Amino acid sequence: MNLKGWLLLGSFLSSPCWAQLQSLPAYQPSVFNGDWLINPVSQRAVVSQTNQGKELVLSNGLVIRRFRVSPNLATVDYRNLNTNEQFIRSVKPEAVVVLNGKKYRVGGLDGQKEHAYLKEEWLDGFKANPADFQYKNFRVSALKPSLHGQSRTWTMNPNPPTGQELQLMFAASQPELQGVEVVVHYALYDRIPTLCKWVTIENKSDKPLHINQVVNEILATPEEESAVVGKPDQMKKPQRIYIENNFAFNNAMRYDLSDQATHWKTDSLYTSQVNYNFETPCLLEVYPTQGIGIDLAPNQTYTSIRSYELLLDSYDRERNGLARRQFYRTVAPWTTQNPIFMHLVSTDPAVVRNVIDQCAETGYEMVILSFGSGLNMEDVSDANIRKFKELADYAHSKKILLGGYSLFSSRRIDDETDVIDPKTGLPNKGAFFGHAPCLASAWGIAYLNKLKKFITETGFDLLEHDGPYPGDVCASTKHPGHKGLDDSQWVQMEMQKGLYRFLNEKGVYINAPDWYFLDGTHKIAVGYREVNFSLSREQQKILNRQNIYDGTWEKTPSMGWGFVPLTKYQGGGPEAVLEPLSEHLGDYEQLMMQYYGAGVQACYRGPRLYDTEETKQTVKKVINWYKQYRSILNSDIIHLRRADGRDWDGIMHVNPALKEKGLVMLYNPLKTTITRTIKLPLYYTGLRQTASIRVGEGKPRAYALNRNNEAEMTVELAPESYQWLVVEGK
């Protein structure tokens, strides 16, 4: 270290920040030795110090992130403690902000010459850049929930996440930045290898601050593969760090296709990489592609998007899916709510009351006034609110929840309201789904206020919200909610997420066909093609099982909804629908069992749940069975065999914390009885050596597990039928 470096270090060691660091506990290496997906993790998240107070440490027995704090703060170590895999090869700033059109780094250290790897002995020789935001202090607190959700429905995990939050404060020396404080937040969760990172900017000056862009995470990670030639979009991105942020949309029903803020880039400083043109994708940056574009008034605070980082320990698809599902259950526990609902196609009070009565009789828990029912939540007249409040009150008297559907996207309002295409300057030329109003228009602002008023005053328990989907940009300079193109996407996203957070915190359940889970929504479509519900019931049964199989690799069962057309939907004839229900009881029962057996709620869309006493008893039998096994049916899915119409198919739920460690659903699509020997992979049940398995409510039988923790058993499946098995311990 040179003289200037020693002087800076001496100044830091005499600062209040160093004294505060010394008050933290010394870091004690602690690695969880079990499998965190099966065994309870005893370690908790903790903030500590190490290296004589030169470094801050975030750790929880599963992951560690370590920061050198002088001469500026930077991440120097980021590892999965179970595998010891390192995710830092090069030091980067903690964030980058673009303010008033000028780019500034937040934290970071200069001086690294080799960027393929980072050695501990190099750190003391690194220096700070005076043009960067400089680290000043830190705060530690217990993790606060990202939203205070309420639940009126059955919930698998009612507990908010716990952990520790570390706030790192930065300030700049430039005159134009006086009064601007940047805080980098880290939240480390208990029991899962996950942290969350976001940035806040507080304007303590007396002038507005224009925020063009905020990059809230920058990681120079080791590359996933080496290739002498190959473009970034052709090469694999790092697979063992999963990134999710709360800036995702486009109606894909999958996060990775909806993500609008995770960017894997090349790193020109990494000159020893194998790729001849330095085009290896090995630099992660998280920021909204369109930018922010807002003005931050004096005494206001801006909050960036949140990026969640889950460190994985495998390339196995099922295991990584299990990890992501556990991430949602922990970080967004409201997604484990899973009420039993049906979709009603009428708002006639007599019909609504009859269906409420049917729900109470059969064990259903919620009625959703569906699209096409005639519900208009934008009508906030006294008469309309009174009508639906009376229906909600009646539902509540029967212990049934009531909610309904509202359309936003795919509709045209007028030239003044609709999004303006930045290329043509015309309305309805650039919207993703043909037509879309701007949420920040006068109409859009009024629309949100009307929804809030309607739901609050009627006592509705659910909103099924159809859009806005793609975050349509808008070049209008006349809409009161945004100034122009630059801020249009950010403002509309904040408004939409604000609605969902508002409703979630009031206990309102939200079905929304886009990826807003981290800001309060509960359910998205499991993934299906709507016109397929005009096909025959025989086709629908197989297609539905395929949809369930494919749609539960990354989502939990409670996060997806399916569809069952009791009456005509998207075309089709009598062969496609279930009405009259009493004439298609076999298909009705199997469709229910397919969905409830997967823990997935379907939209049973029609005018009633039953038409005869026999139909009623069939519905009650399925719902009683579902409620008996509700916890295991809402637990993780292991994918056994995808439906192909040629042989058996099936899934298995697993949960080592329950009495029922597993529940298997098997299906025979053939017109003949089949006998099959099946290997059940029981590793994630937590069972070892032996398992007790019964067919339905039959007598259990002990099975020895092989070295792969599999139980081999022979099953007989009747033609075009289903069967379920229960797995327990000895």
Side-chain angles (χ1 to χ4, degrees), residues 242-355:
Y242 172 71
I243 308 294
E244 182 159 334
N245 62 73
N246 65 335
F247 203 81
F249 47 81
N250 77 354
N251 198 28
M253 312 295 174
R254 282 183 51 187
Y255 172 76
D256 54 342
L257 298 178
S258 302
D259 182 2
Q260 306 292 329
T262 302
H263 307 270
W264 285 101
K265 296 186 169 184
T266 60
D267 187 354
S268 60
L269 295 177
Y270 181 10
T271 56
S272 57
Q273 64 184 271
V274 169
N275 190 272
Y276 189 77
N277 294 313
F278 305 148
E279 293 187 307
T280 304
C282 57
L283 181 64
L284 168 71
E285 294 186 358
V286 179
Y287 59 88
T289 305
Q290 283 291 133
I292 311 300
I294 65 168
D295 291 319
L296 190 67
N299 300 315
Q300 285 190 341
T301 299
Y302 159 85
T303 302
S304 77
I305 63 175
R306 291 173 176 248
S307 55
Y308 296 81
E309 302 169 13
L310 169 64
L311 302 190
L312 303 170
D313 56 17
S314 173
Y315 289 98
D316 178 71
R317 184 185 187 188
E318 192 79 88
R319 182 169 178 83
N320 289 343
L322 289 165
R324 285 173 63 172
R325 290 173 247 160
Q326 188 60 29
F327 160 78
Y328 292 120
R329 289 192 179 99
T330 303
V331 170
W334 52 86
T335 62
T336 68
Q337 297 178 38
N338 204 9
I340 306 169
F341 55 71
M342 73 91 61
H343 264 230
L344 180 60
V345 293
S346 174
T347 54
D348 180 287
V351 176
V352 176
R353 289 172 186 265
N354 179 62
V355 164

Side-chain angles (χ1 to χ4, degrees), residues 457-585:
E457 295 189 8
T458 59
F460 263 31
D461 305 285
L462 169 138
L463 170 65
E464 184 157 293
H465 204 202
D466 210 344
Y469 293 132
D472 283 312
V473 297
C474 178
S476 172
T477 57
K478 298 178 181 179
H479 292 165
H482 71 102
K483 293 183 177 180
L485 175 63
D486 289 348
D487 69 337
S488 64
Q489 187 179 76
W490 179 264
V491 167
Q492 289 185 78
M493 284 292 291
E494 287 296 291
M495 292 172 69
Q496 177 149 358
K497 293 192 293 187
L499 171 68
Y500 295 153
R501 296 169 69 87
F502 169 83
L503 294 176
N504 187 302
E505 293 185 348
K506 287 188 173 295
V508 177
Y509 196 87
I510 307 162
N511 286 348
D514 218 337
W515 209 272
Y516 295 99
F517 288 115
L518 297 176
D519 283 290
T521 62
H522 298 82
K523 202 182 293 293
I524 198 170
V526 73
Y528 51 74
R529 188 176 184 89
E530 288 186 310
V531 296
N532 287 353
F533 298 110
S534 66
L535 301 175
S536 70
R537 292 182 295 276
E538 181 178 1
Q539 289 171 281
Q540 287 185 47
K541 283 186 284 188
I542 294 178
L543 292 171
N544 286 352
R545 296 205 301 276
Q546 291 181 338
N547 294 339
I548 291 166
Y549 193 93
D550 297 340
T552 52
W553 286 98
E554 288 88 24
K555 298 193 294 286
T556 67
S558 60
M559 290 169 65
W561 77 70
F563 199 89
V564 175
L566 304 182
T567 53
K568 188 174 181 179
Y569 179 70
Q570 296 285 339
E575 75 285 350
V577 300
L578 289 166
E579 284 281 2
L581 302 174
S582 57
E583 296 180 13
H584 307 107
L585 267 185

Side-chain angles (χ1 to χ4, degrees), residues 406-422:
S406 179
L407 176 69
F408 183 92
S409 286
S410 306
R411 63 187 284 194
R412 173 164 169 74
I413 307 302
D414 53 46
D415 287 353
E416 183 179 346
T417 296
D418 294 351
V419 292
I420 301 299
D421 181 14

Side-chain angles (χ1 to χ4, degrees), residues 134-416:
Q134 304 296 310
Y135 168 67
K136 298 299 180 184
N137 213 335
F138 72 92
R139 286 190 294 263
V140 177
S141 62
L143 186 148
K144 302 177 186 65
S146 59
L147 65 82
H148 299 278
Q150 302 294 322
S151 174
R152 303 176 192 171
T153 72
W154 183 91
T155 306
M156 184 79 170
N157 175 25
N159 302 312
T162 58
Q164 292 285 302
E165 181 182 333
L166 173 64
Q167 298 180 24
L168 306 170
M169 279 76 83
F170 295 83
S173 59
Q174 293 90 325
E176 67 271 18
L177 295 175
Q178 295 309 294
V180 177
E181 181 180 70
V182 176
V183 182
V184 178
H185 302 252
Y186 284 94
L188 181 62
Y189 296 88
D190 292 331
R191 302 182 182 91
I192 58 173
T194 299
L195 60 78
C196 177
K197 184 179 180 183
W198 70 100
V199 169
T200 56
I201 301 174
E202 187 172 352
N203 183 8
K204 299 178 181 178
S205 73
D206 57 1
K207 295 179 292 187
L209 178 71
H210 188 73
I211 302 177
N212 304 85
Q213 183 61 281
V214 174
V215 183
N216 71 294
E217 178 63 299
I218 308 166
L219 287 177
T221 68
E223 57 268 47
E224 183 67 22
E225 66 177 0
S226 295
V228 176
V229 288
K231 295 296 182 182
D233 59 346
Q234 298 172 313
M235 299 174 67
K236 288 188 176 71
K237 315 303 186 292
Q239 301 291 299
R240 306 237 283 193
I241 178 170
Y242 172 71
I243 308 294
E244 182 159 334
N245 62 73
N246 65 335
F247 203 81
F249 47 81
N250 77 354
N251 198 28
M253 312 295 174
R254 282 183 51 187
Y255 172 76
D256 54 342
L257 298 178
S258 302
D259 182 2
Q260 306 292 329
T262 302
H263 307 270
W264 285 101
K265 296 186 169 184
T266 60
D267 187 354
S268 60
L269 295 177
Y270 181 10
T271 56
S272 57
Q273 64 184 271
V274 169
N275 190 272
Y276 189 77
N277 294 313
F278 305 148
E279 293 187 307
T280 304
C282 57
L283 181 64
L284 168 71
E285 294 186 358
V286 179
Y287 59 88
T289 305
Q290 283 291 133
I292 311 300
I294 65 168
D295 291 319
L296 190 67
N299 300 315
Q300 285 190 341
T301 299
Y302 159 85
T303 302
S304 77
I305 63 175
R306 291 173 176 248
S307 55
Y308 296 81
E309 302 169 13
L310 169 64
L311 302 190
L312 303 170
D313 56 17
S314 173
Y315 289 98
D316 178 71
R317 184 185 187 188
E318 192 79 88
R319 182 169 178 83
N320 289 343
L322 289 165
R324 285 173 63 172
R325 290 173 247 160
Q326 188 60 29
F327 160 78
Y328 292 120
R329 289 192 179 99
T330 303
V331 170
W334 52 86
T335 62
T336 68
Q337 297 178 38
N338 204 9
I340 306 169
F341 55 71
M342 73 91 61
H343 264 230
L344 180 60
V345 293
S346 174
T347 54
D348 180 287
V351 176
V352 176
R353 289 172 186 265
N354 179 62
V355 164
I356 289 170
D357 291 341
Q358 287 198 346
C359 286
E361 284 288 323
T362 56
Y364 270 67
E365 297 163 346
M366 178 181 283
V367 176
I368 301 174
L369 302 176
S370 187
F371 41 92
S373 67
L375 175 66
N376 180 10
M377 291 193 193
E378 297 165 46
D379 179 357
V380 292
S381 65
D382 290 344
N384 199 48
I385 286 180
R386 184 167 54 252
K387 171 185 175 180
F388 288 101
K389 184 180 187 307
E390 289 175 357
L391 291 173
D393 289 345
Y394 181 77
H396 296 159
S397 74
K398 299 284 186 173
K399 296 184 171 23
I400 301 297
L401 304 177
L402 182 66
Y405 170 93
S406 179
L407 176 69
F408 183 92
S409 286
S410 306
R411 63 187 284 194
R412 173 164 169 74
I413 307 302
D414 53 46
D415 287 353
E416 183 179 346

Side-chain angles (χ1 to χ4, degrees), residues 599-618:
V600 175
Q601 301 298 329
C603 303
Y604 298 89
R605 186 173 187 270
R608 57 191 175 180
L609 283 172
Y610 59 83
D611 53 359
T612 66
E613 182 63 24
E614 184 182 9
T615 308
K616 174 182 174 180
Q617 293 306 319
T618 298

